[in-house]
Amino acid sequence: MGMTMTQKILAAHAGLDHVEAGQLIEADLDMVLGNDITSPVAIHEIDKMKVDGVFDKDKIALVMDHFVPNKDIKSAEHVKEVREFACENCISHFYDVGQMGIEHALLPEKGLVVAGDVVIGADSHTCTYGALGAFSTGVGSTDMAAGMATGKAWFKVPQAIKINVTGKPAKYVSGKDVILHIIGEIGVDGALYQSMEFTGDGIANLSMDDRFTIANMAIEAGAKNGIFPVDDKAIDYMKSHGTREYKVYEADADAEYASELTVDLSTLKPTVSFPHLPENTHTVDEIDEIKIDQVVIGSCTNGRISDLAVAAEIMKGKKVADGIRVIIIPATQQIYLDAMEAGYLRTFVEAGAIVSTPTCGPCLGGYMGILAHGERCVSTTNRNFVGRMGDVTSEIYLASPAVAAASALTGFISDPERI
Amino acid sequence: MENAKGKVHKFGDNVDTDVIIPARYLNSSDPAELATHCMEDIDADFTKKVSAGDIMVATKNFGCGSSREHAPIAIKASGISCVIAETFARIFYRNAINIGLPIIECLEAAAAINEGDEVEVDFDSGKIYDITTGSEYQGQAFPPFMQELIDAGGLVNRINKNA
């Protein structure tokens, strides 16, 4: 029996010719990632291990992005601890204020992950790099510590769901709408313990930013990873962002899938996930007037340049509705510069939005946009769980940057086509 | 491995790691401090009700969302001796094993056991006894590899053993 794309990458990294779903393997790691919340716990664990330093100083990335610039003394102590660890171990890819960006936008931008890699990160959205044709998955801090110490991690080889992508999306249908639609179809545990393997001629109609968004939210269906075939767009992206050699793996024609799903991009509409689960999806055209208090455009899901471009296009020359707070967060310093040069930042500020330095802050209710009792937010982030962005009675509506920008102008959840 | 025995705290589907330990407390990594906020956003009185040895029971996809290891750490430090669920989200599953929080999957037990029941879990056999109702369930035993991890006392100790 043939192997899926994920199984082939895992087999190659375990030194095996063949693996099967359910098999436990130990795989070599090409990159181990942590942030300012998960790395301190990992450092405490590595201190307990009888190991002499890290396995490879060039294959570890420590990105200070969640509560940075530090929101309080405790956060500052955490980052200090990671900074000292990075210095002691000569970690090449330590990113602090000034260089840092949101980790899952930053690593591909810096060329630190490429097709064919096996990557673990102590952050659940590490699955983002599947857009490049890498196997990447989120783990906890102890796995991160073991990965930093040994360069290896254990995995149970996953089954896969095959997602056939066809058609061409309408103007305001983006990667966010594709993944919210899929989660709405299969549920928040619809891909539990499995890979989501994307295939089909519709993928050519998705930008790399769209694919990063889709792979990013595979975890919101419970998936171990989401992965895309490596086409010319992916190769161009990797070549323009780094020099590392990539390796292209393809699923065997006779690979076995647990289930299959077809997504016709031409039939999708802008989609919104209602509180308090990403699976509670509605298309924007069927939503009654829902008054909002805040809009957030950013995060590892939707803080890339094309996300800011579509938001700027919709907001250009217009004003944010009265009483709505709009927070826009370019995901990296490079995206910030690109948005500045393109004039997007001026558009946002003139419209009455604010533009923040890169941070995960509001997405996880850390800082920079916490919601009060009963407040509603349209957010381009990835989770709308109870209390995720603030008070337990607050509500998060997950949407694309286009829907978020349109909603910022009207003050209620809005269809960008009608602005 | 010793049996777990205690009073049940029951939860539903898709209990996410944000409600297990909200991110506003992730500026700490101290287990005792995290435990004081365990389950705060889903049951504000949880920390007042929980006693050492108690058991948590939930239905499907327990521990979904963020990879924060602070979640199983907070549950363990709050005194919970075992989590029984229909299914666990995969990162939570790994994290619980890695830090030595016993967890067990059992669809029937997760559905039938009620809040406040007295429950005992035999990890060697995978059997779950609801002492209050007199029912018995067969939970899913760990695969040998994970049993080895648990027997070693978590991932760090396993690495140290092989060092």
Side-chain angles (χ1 to χ4, degrees):
Chain A
M1 193 211 307
M3 290 189 282
T4 65
M5 190 173 170
T6 295
Q7 289 167 356
K8 277 190 165 176
I9 296 173
L10 288 175
H13 283 73
L16 301 169
D17 294 330
H18 189 87
V19 295
E20 281 180 21
Q23 188 176 344
L24 286 153
I25 57 154
E26 197 162 50
D28 290 328
L29 302 172
D30 297 296
M31 182 56 70
V32 180
L33 165 70
N35 58 50
D36 52 310
I37 289 181
T38 56
S39 302
V41 180
I43 291 166
H44 300 163
E45 293 303 311
I46 213 167
D47 284 345
K48 295 182 206 161
M49 291 179 192
K50 294 175 197 157
V51 291
D52 186 20
V54 299
F55 86 109
D56 188 334
K57 67 180 181 58
D58 298 325
K59 291 185 177 176
I60 293 168
L62 302 173
V63 185
M64 306 298 95
D65 59 359
H66 276 59
F67 293 164
V68 171
N70 297 135
K71 72 184 186 100
D72 54 27
I73 294 168
K74 285 181 179 173
S75 308
E77 294 296 344
H78 272 168
V79 173
K80 188 175 176 213
E81 202 175 338
V82 182
R83 192 180 293 123
E84 286 168 359
F85 174 85
C87 183
E88 279 164 25
N89 290 280
C90 305
I91 303 294
S92 313
H93 308 298
F94 171 67
Y95 296 100
D96 207 339
V97 173
Q99 295 79 42
M100 70 85 173
I102 296 176
E103 51 196 334
H104 308 307
L106 188 71
L107 264 60
E109 182 187 285
K110 296 282 183 192
L112 297 183
V113 286
V114 293
D117 278 355
V118 169
V119 181
I120 62 166
D123 187 281
S124 59
H125 294 107
T126 302
C127 49
T128 307
Y129 319 129
L132 294 170
F135 171 82
S136 62
T137 192
V139 296
S141 295
T142 300
D143 275 319
M144 178 195 167
M148 287 198 294
T150 66
K152 291 176 189 294
W154 65 268
F155 297 106
K156 193 169 164 183
V157 176
Q159 285 189 308
I161 298 179
K162 184 180 187 179
I163 301 176
N164 297 303
V165 182
T166 64
K168 196 174 175 182
K171 183 177 180 194
Y172 288 124
V173 171
S174 67
K176 185 60 161 287
D177 304 296
V178 176
I179 190 64
L180 292 182
H181 168 79
I182 292 169
I183 297 166
E185 290 284 304
I186 69 175
V188 292
D189 65 345
L192 196 59
Y193 306 126
Q194 297 178 327
S195 304
M196 290 167 80
E197 299 219 347
F198 294 89
T199 183
D201 54 16
I203 291 173
N205 298 321
L206 294 169
S207 70
M208 287 312 295
D209 283 0
D210 285 327
R211 299 179 202 181
F212 283 123
T213 303
I214 294 169
N216 172 274
M217 286 190 70
I219 177 69
E220 308 313 333
K224 184 170 204 140
N225 67 314
I227 196 163
F228 280 82
V230 183
D231 64 3
D232 289 346
K233 274 189 190 170
I235 290 170
D236 286 348
Y237 182 94
M238 289 186 282
K239 282 185 174 167
S240 62
H241 287 85
T243 53
R244 276 197 53 213
E245 272 187 43
Y246 57 86
K247 187 156 185 199
V248 178
Y249 292 86
E250 288 175 355
D252 289 323
D254 60 343
E256 193 175 274
Y257 297 91
S259 59
E260 294 195 26
L261 178 75
T262 295
V263 178
D264 180 354
L265 299 174
S266 68
T267 64
L268 299 187
K269 295 173 181 171
T271 300
V272 179
S273 287
F274 279 35
H276 292 286
L277 282 176
E279 71 186 21
N280 297 335
T281 54
H282 299 261
T283 54
V284 75
D285 57 328
E286 63 175 34
I287 298 173
D288 292 332
E289 197 165 300
I290 296 174
K291 181 91 186 63
I292 57 168
D293 303 285
Q294 181 171 293
V295 170
V296 171
I297 298 175
S299 82
C300 61
T301 309
N302 279 125
R304 296 182 181 81
I305 193 67
S306 57
D307 300 317
L308 303 185
V310 70
E313 180 209 308
I314 291 166
M315 293 170 76
K316 192 164 177 68
K318 302 203 170 74
K319 291 284 179 199
V320 165
D322 282 347
I324 310 296
R325 294 109 53 185
V326 181
I327 300 159
I328 298 180
I329 310 177
T332 68
Q333 294 287 80
Q334 187 59 52
I335 294 168
Y336 198 107
L337 280 174
D338 292 346
M340 186 155 62
E341 278 166 25
Y344 304 154
L345 303 189
R346 172 170 284 277
T347 294
F348 297 141
V349 173
E350 285 180 348
I354 66 141
V355 180
S356 162
T357 183
T359 178
C360 307
C363 172
L364 77 163
Y367 73 127
M368 281 294 290
I370 304 298
L371 299 173
H373 185 91
E375 286 191 329
R376 292 196 185 112
C377 181
V378 172
S379 185
T380 70
T381 54
N382 42 56
R383 293 194 172 122
N384 54 356
F385 299 153
V386 171
R388 169 85 175 173
M389 289 180 77
D391 188 88
V392 290
T393 62
S394 61
E395 295 182 352
I396 305 160
Y397 294 78
L398 302 177
S400 68
V403 170
S407 306
L409 300 178
T410 61
F412 52 90
I413 299 173
S414 297
D415 186 344
E417 288 284 5
R418 296 189 184 176
I419 296 296
Chain B
M1 202 169 161
E2 232 176 272
N3 287 6
K5 190 177 175 185
K7 184 168 59 91
V8 165
H9 302 269
K10 181 87 188 262
F11 296 93
D13 287 349
N14 304 313
V15 173
D16 60 78
T17 55
D18 276 275
V19 294
I20 294 172
I21 183 72
R24 57 186 177 274
Y25 304 120
L26 297 185
N27 56 4
S28 171
S29 51
D30 172 35
E33 192 178 339
L34 293 170
T36 63
H37 301 292
C38 186
M39 312 307 281
E40 188 174 291
D41 281 1
I42 191 169
D43 179 0
D45 295 327
F46 176 78
T47 54
K48 289 179 209 148
K49 293 188 289 195
V50 70
S51 308
D54 282 359
I55 288 170
M56 203 176 266
V57 180
T59 44
K60 66 174 188 171
N61 203 24
F62 185 85
C64 61
S66 156
S67 67
R68 60 191 70 163
E69 205 159 289
H70 312 66
I73 290 171
I75 291 173
K76 191 181 177 192
S78 75
I80 292 290
S81 62
C82 176
V83 185
I84 301 166
E86 183 182 326
T87 51
F88 291 93
R90 60 161 286 278
I91 303 177
F92 184 92
Y93 189 96
R94 284 184 83 103
N95 288 348
I97 289 170
N98 284 342
I99 67 147
L101 170 68
I103 57 173
I104 189 161
E105 285 189 341
C106 181
L107 194 153
E108 296 77 17
I113 293 172
N114 297 308
E115 170 81 22
D117 285 2
E118 186 78 7
V119 163
E120 184 165 1
V121 181
D122 181 334
F123 293 109
D124 295 328
S125 66
K127 282 208 162 41
I128 299 165
Y129 306 98
D130 188 329
I131 297 161
T132 306
T133 63
S135 308
E136 184 184 319
Y137 308 94
Q138 181 63 54
Q140 202 177 40
F142 288 115
F145 175 84
M146 284 175 206
Q147 192 65 55
E148 186 205 324
L149 260 181
I150 293 162
D151 291 345
L155 187 60
V156 172
N157 289 332
R158 179 171 171 266
I159 287 170
N160 285 344
K161 245 186 209 174
N162 297 338

